[in-house]
Amino acid sequence: MRVGLFFGSFNPIHIGHLIIANHILNETDLNKIWFVISPQNPFKPAHTLLNNYDRLHLVNKATENDPRIKASDVEFKLPRPSYTIDTLNHLQEKHPTNEFVIIMGSDSFQNLNKWKNYETIIKGFQLSIYKRPGFEIVNNINASIITTDAPLLDISATYIRELVRQNKSIKYLVPENIELEIQNNVFFRQKK
């Protein structure tokens, strides 16, 4: 089975993430996509993140009616900060019959050479890259890539968190059940 790994903080998951996942499933030969929730991105401060299990809960809720997509907490059990190469090695050990493909935006692809052991990643894994405005896909590292023009929305989790802090509506930016979860649990209300 070919499984796409969509790494991120998902702080919170929003419609943009889900549209990209759906598009990639429709336009490639991937069978499933796993949203890999990162407890700590090495490039982001940890104190800005909602609790790991609350973010996992939100991703589970957002994808509960789509059997093609699942939330993965694999990085919760690995040493921190989370490095993609360590996660990939762990997943290959646990799921030897799966073929894993890394999903990333063209902005992340431009920075791939800054990742820990990126040479090992591009040798062992295919990359599914969706184009982001202002970031051309230039493959000067000889990676095996699939590119797609996923429909993109100009929204971010940062923007959603700010709206919540200002007590403004996040309707249509996140699935309805996620909006309710954020409201009912008073997520993102405190300025960090």
Side-chain angles (χ1 to χ4, degrees), residues 105-154:
S106 56
D107 54 338
S108 294
F109 182 64
Q110 279 193 355
N111 295 316
L112 191 61
N113 62 345
K114 295 183 176 115
W115 292 20
K116 178 183 175 187
N117 297 351
Y118 85 93
E119 302 95 339
T120 306
I121 293 172
I122 62 173
K123 256 186 223 158
F125 300 89
Q126 189 171 48
L127 309 175
S128 178
I129 303 169
Y130 58 92
K131 296 177 185 172
R132 292 182 65 98
F135 297 93
E136 289 303 311
I137 299 173
V138 179
N139 188 4
N140 53 13
I141 57 173
N142 205 25
S144 170
I145 63 172
I146 313 163
T147 61
T148 184
D149 285 312
L152 300 177
L153 298 177
D154 190 17

Side-chain angles (χ1 to χ4, degrees), residues 176-187:
E176 189 174 345
N177 63 345
I178 300 308
E179 179 188 15
L180 291 172
E181 287 291 315
I182 289 171
Q183 287 172 354
N184 293 340
N185 292 289
V186 198
F187 291 152

Side-chain angles (χ1 to χ4, degrees), residues 42-80:
F43 300 109
K44 293 183 181 178
H47 72 275
T48 62
L49 293 177
L50 188 63
N51 172 288
N52 293 342
Y53 291 96
D54 289 333
R55 288 182 292 121
L56 176 65
H57 172 69
L58 292 177
V59 174
N60 275 321
K61 291 289 285 181
T63 60
E64 66 189 356
N65 294 320
D66 190 340
R68 305 169 305 157
I69 302 174
K70 83 167 205 166
S72 171
D73 64 354
V74 63
E75 290 194 343
F76 294 8
K77 304 166 188 100
L78 298 176
R80 295 184 194 174

